[in-house]
C-alpha cells in the first residue's frame, strides 16, 4: 500500500481538480543529499577497487569521461515520485508522527492512500520502482562502491544499475519514511485515471474548510468516497473518525 503525506495548498488542490500528480526531478527533492551522491568521488574509488580486482570493464567505463558526463546529463531529466510503503494501513498512518509533522504541515494537511490502480498505472510507465535502500553513514561509501563494482558488465545494463543506485539510496536517518519510489523518464505533470485515490486521511489540525474542499474535489474528480479525520485519543494516541458518507 502506498501513501503520500501532503500539505493542503494550491498545488495539491490543482492536482486534485486536474487528476494529476507532479513528478519532480531529483534536484527538487527536500534533502540536498538525496539522489546527489558524489559521483566523481565514487567513480574514482570504484575504479580503484575494480583495478585491484583486475576488472577491466568496470575500471574502463568508470574512467571514461564521456560516459560519466553523458550519464549525468541523462539523469538530470529523470523524474522521481516518492511515496511511503506501509504494510499495515491504520497503524502506520496513526503512528507516523514525523511524517505528519514534516510533510503534512504539522497535522494541518493530509495523507492520500493510493489504490492498486495507481500503483499499476505508474509502474507500467516507470523505468524503475521499489523501496529505498537506507545506508548507515559509517559504511555507506564501502557499500556503494562495492555495489557499483558488482553491476553487469554491459554498458546499457551498467548505466541503468548505476542510475538505480543513485536514485534509490538514502542515509539511514530517513528510514522512518519507509519510502518507495517510481522513476520515470521525464519530470513533470502526469494525468491519472479515475480511481487512483482510495482514501484520504486528514490531520488532527486540518481545518473544516480544507476538509470540505478536499472531500468535494476528491469525490468529483477522483471518484474517492473514503475520508477519515485524525483525533487525539488518550495521552499520546490518535484515532480516526470515519467521515465517509
Amino acid at each position: 500500500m502506498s501513501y503520500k503525506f501532503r500539505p493542503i495548498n494550491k498545488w495539491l488542490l490543482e492536482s486534485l481538480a486536474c487528476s494529476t500528480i507532479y513528478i519532480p526531478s531529483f534536484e527538487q527533492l527536500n534533502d540536498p543529499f538525496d539522489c546527489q551522491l558524489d559521483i566523481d568521488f565514487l567513480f574514482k574509488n570504484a575504479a580503484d577497487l575494480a583495478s585491484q580486482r583486475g576488472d577491466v570493464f568496470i575500471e574502463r567505463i568508470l574512467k571514461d569521461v564521456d560516459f560519466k558526463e553523458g550519464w549525468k546529463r541523462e539523469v538530470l531529466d529523470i523524474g522521481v515520485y516518492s511515496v511511503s510503503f506501509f504494510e499495515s494501513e491504520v497503524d502506520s498512518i496513526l503512528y507516523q508522527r514525523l511524517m505528519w509533522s514534516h510533510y503534512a504541515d504539522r497535522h494541518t494537511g493530509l495523507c492520500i492512500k493510493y489504490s492498486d490502480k495507481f500503483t499499476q498505472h505508474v509502474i507500467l510507465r516507470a523505468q524503475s520502482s521499489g523501496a529505498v535502500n537506507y545506508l548507515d553513514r559509517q559504511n555507506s561509501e564501502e557499500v556503494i562502491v562495492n555495489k557499483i563494482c558488482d553491476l553487469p558488465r554491459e554498458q546499457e545494463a551498467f548505466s541503468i544499475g548505476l542510475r538505480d543506485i543513485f536514485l534509490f539510496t538514502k542515509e539511514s536517518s530517513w528510514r522512518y519514511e519507509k519510502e518507495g519510489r517510481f522513476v520515470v523518464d521525464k519530470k513533470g505533470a502526469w494525468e491519472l485515471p479515475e480511481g487512483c485515490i482510495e482514501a484520504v486521511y486528514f490531520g488532527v489540525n486540518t481545518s473544516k474548510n480544507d476538509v470540505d474542499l478536499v472531500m468535494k474535489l476528491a469525490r468529483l474528480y477522483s471518484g474517492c468516497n473514503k475520508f477519515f479525520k485524525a483525533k487525539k485519543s488518550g495521552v499520546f494516541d490518535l484515532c480516526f473518525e470515519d467521515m465517509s458518507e
Side-chain angles (χ1 to χ4, degrees):
M1 292 181 286
S2 55
Y3 299 82
K4 187 77 170 179
F5 290 83
R6 296 196 58 176
I8 297 174
N9 51 33
K10 68 176 183 177
W11 294 284
L12 171 71
L13 299 176
E14 286 175 2
S15 71
L16 290 173
C18 298
S19 295
T20 59
I21 55 172
Y22 179 77
I23 301 183
S25 69
F26 69 84
E27 292 181 310
Q28 295 172 294
L29 301 177
N30 63 328
D31 178 10
F33 296 97
D34 195 353
C35 299
Q36 300 193 55
L37 304 174
D38 189 332
I39 293 301
D40 295 331
F41 173 80
L42 292 171
F43 268 42
K44 179 184 182 303
N45 286 4
D48 290 344
L49 178 59
S51 177
Q52 294 171 21
R53 294 179 175 180
D55 194 324
V56 177
F57 174 86
I58 297 293
E59 182 181 9
R60 176 184 59 80
I61 199 168
L62 291 174
K63 290 182 176 180
D64 185 335
V65 176
D66 290 336
F67 169 81
K68 180 173 69 174
E69 295 306 316
W71 182 85
K72 285 181 179 179
R73 287 192 296 272
E74 288 178 9
V75 172
L76 282 175
D77 286 332
I78 285 175
V80 181
Y81 194 70
S82 298
V83 296
S84 291
F85 286 158
F86 297 146
E87 294 180 6
S88 174
E89 179 177 354
V90 175
D91 285 347
S92 295
I93 300 173
L94 282 174
Y95 295 108
Q96 286 296 320
R97 303 298 174 83
L98 291 176
M99 298 295 286
W100 280 108
S101 296
H102 293 169
Y103 295 100
D105 198 11
R106 296 165 297 174
H107 264 277
T108 63
L110 52 76
C111 177
I112 293 172
K113 178 188 178 184
Y114 288 118
S115 65
D116 290 340
K117 185 175 184 178
F118 167 86
T119 305
Q120 292 163 6
H121 175 75
V122 180
I123 284 178
L124 285 173
R125 299 176 61 187
Q127 295 184 353
S128 299
S129 61
V132 164
N133 181 32
Y134 297 100
L135 297 181
D136 292 330
R137 189 181 298 109
Q138 291 83 353
N139 64 346
S140 58
E141 175 192 328
E142 179 183 355
V143 172
I144 295 171
V145 165
N146 276 282
K147 282 188 173 186
I148 293 173
C149 287
D150 290 338
L151 290 174
R153 271 64 174 168
E154 187 275 322
Q155 184 162 323
E156 183 177 357
F158 179 88
S159 180
I160 292 171
L162 186 63
R163 178 201 67 200
D164 287 349
I165 291 174
F166 184 76
L167 296 177
F168 285 88
T169 301
K170 292 186 76 168
E171 198 268 328
S172 60
S173 61
W174 296 92
R175 196 184 303 273
Y176 69 91
E177 293 182 339
K178 298 184 179 180
E179 185 178 351
R181 287 184 166 169
F182 302 100
V183 174
V184 301
D185 58 355
K186 289 287 183 183
K187 61 187 177 184
W190 271 33
E191 291 186 7
L192 297 178
E194 186 174 334
C196 284
I197 297 179
E198 184 171 325
V200 177
Y201 296 81
F202 297 101
V204 171
N205 298 318
T206 310
S207 71
K208 184 180 185 304
N209 287 342
D210 282 345
V211 169
D212 291 343
L213 179 55
V214 169
M215 287 175 63
K216 179 180 178 180
L217 293 174
R219 282 196 177 103
L220 187 59
Y221 297 107
S222 299
C224 176
N225 291 300
K226 295 181 180 179
F227 303 95
F228 304 88
K229 181 76 163 61
K231 297 175 61 177
K232 293 181 181 179
S233 175
V235 180
F236 293 120
D237 288 333
L238 295 173
C239 64
F240 279 118
E241 176 186 2
D242 191 342
M243 304 182 69
S244 310
E245 295 179 0

